[in-house]
Amino acid sequence: MKRLVFLLALATALLAPSAALAGGVVLKVERSAHIVAVASTASRVALVHTNAAARLRVGQRIALTSTRLGNGTYRASRVQVVGRTSKVHFRGLLLAKSSARWSVSAGGAVITVRRGARATSSARDSGPMPGATVDVQATVGANGELDDDDVTPAAVSPPGGRIEGHLTLGTGTITVTSENLNLVLKVPAGLDLSAFKNGMEVVADFSQGSDGSLTLTRLSTGDDGEDTGGDNHGGHDGGGGGDQSGGGGGGD
């Protein structure tokens, strides 16, 4: 019996890391929604629900005690600031670009990265195009903005992503609004969205077709992490991880 108890305890300890997020680098803070985007590795970004969002800043390294919710986001019961970095590195799906910024979907967050003033007009039009999965290396500015150091294509298959934002229902489509981006997703026939209403905060998983179009694969509410619509095929998360350079700490 003692051996059985020991084995069960060992199995629980081994399984625990896959069910929780231990920490990472803050990439984005949504204070009104109490959500932060955290890069835990070079290929993983996650949305974390936490009441500590009001005191967190982009570039901080945080340690978390968290649980994974049904829609793939996390809820943190404890957050501690353990350091800071001026450089971040993450992977995501390039949703849009302009002469001024890149908009990248990573782990459900739309991360805005300012394009460098050093680039010439012609250079600004080169590089990855919307629909590409990209590796982003950026510098954290004084006000928490991210300035691009390097944005390059990354080969990831199958393509897709996730976005968190406010919902607008359409005919055969939905629109998820996050910051300055309105992302339109096709709704497959037979997908029941009757539980959703305009203005709801949602997390939408989506896949990308060969023609570049984006199709909704799962929709869930963004506040409690419970799935209330969608199928059994979650979107592919192109999220990424924080840079490993260190910094001074500070606990909360």
Side-chain angles (χ1 to χ4, degrees):
M1 176 61 73
K2 289 183 178 179
R3 178 176 176 80
L4 176 60
V5 172
F6 172 76
L7 290 175
L8 287 174
L10 178 62
T12 301
L14 291 174
L15 290 173
S18 64
L21 186 70
V25 176
V26 177
L27 291 181
K28 182 179 179 179
V29 180
E30 291 278 1
R31 292 183 175 84
S32 61
H34 306 292
I35 292 175
V36 295
V38 178
S40 59
T41 71
S43 59
R44 184 187 183 195
V45 174
L47 288 177
V48 179
H49 303 264
T50 173
N51 291 330
R55 58 179 171 81
L56 295 177
R57 301 290 184 271
V58 173
Q60 288 179 328
R61 296 182 182 280
I62 58 175
L64 300 171
T65 300
S66 68
T67 55
R68 184 180 173 91
L69 303 178
N71 63 358
T73 65
Y74 294 82
R75 186 174 300 283
S77 58
R78 179 176 177 273
V79 177
Q80 182 180 13
V81 178
V82 296
R84 184 183 298 274
T85 180
S86 62
K87 300 288 186 178
V88 297
H89 177 202
F90 65 95
R91 176 175 293 182
L93 182 69
L94 180 59
L95 298 176
K97 75 173 185 177
S98 68
S99 61
R101 66 176 63 90
W102 309 88
S103 295
V104 182
S105 171
V110 175
I111 311 295
T112 298
V113 181
R114 298 191 302 189
R115 301 189 74 175
R118 65 189 180 280
T120 64
S121 177
S122 60
R124 287 180 182 274
D125 295 331
S126 63
M129 300 300 293
T133 299
V134 292
D135 277 317
V136 178
Q137 298 186 57
T139 298
V140 181
N143 295 320
E145 302 96 341
L146 296 180
D147 296 312
D148 71 337
D149 294 328
D150 197 19
V151 178
T152 55
V156 174
S157 180
R162 171 181 288 173
I163 183 174
E164 182 272 337
H166 290 91
L167 175 69
T168 301
L169 297 166
T171 302
T173 65
I174 65 168
T175 300
V176 181
T177 301
S178 180
E179 287 194 352
N180 54 7
L181 182 73
N182 297 321
L183 189 66
V184 178
L185 306 175
K186 295 180 184 178
V187 178
L191 193 61
D192 182 13
L193 301 183
S194 59
F196 295 89
K197 297 180 180 179
N198 287 334
M200 290 181 69
E201 184 181 327
V202 297
V203 177
D205 292 343
F206 56 89
S207 62
Q208 183 183 28
S210 58
D211 61 352
S213 63
L214 304 178
T215 300
L216 178 69
T217 57
R218 187 175 70 172
L219 190 66
S220 59
T221 55
D223 54 353
D224 59 10
E226 295 298 326
D227 292 330
T228 52
D231 60 18
N232 293 323
H233 304 286
H236 299 280
D237 188 358
D243 188 278
Q244 297 304 306
S245 56
D252 288 281

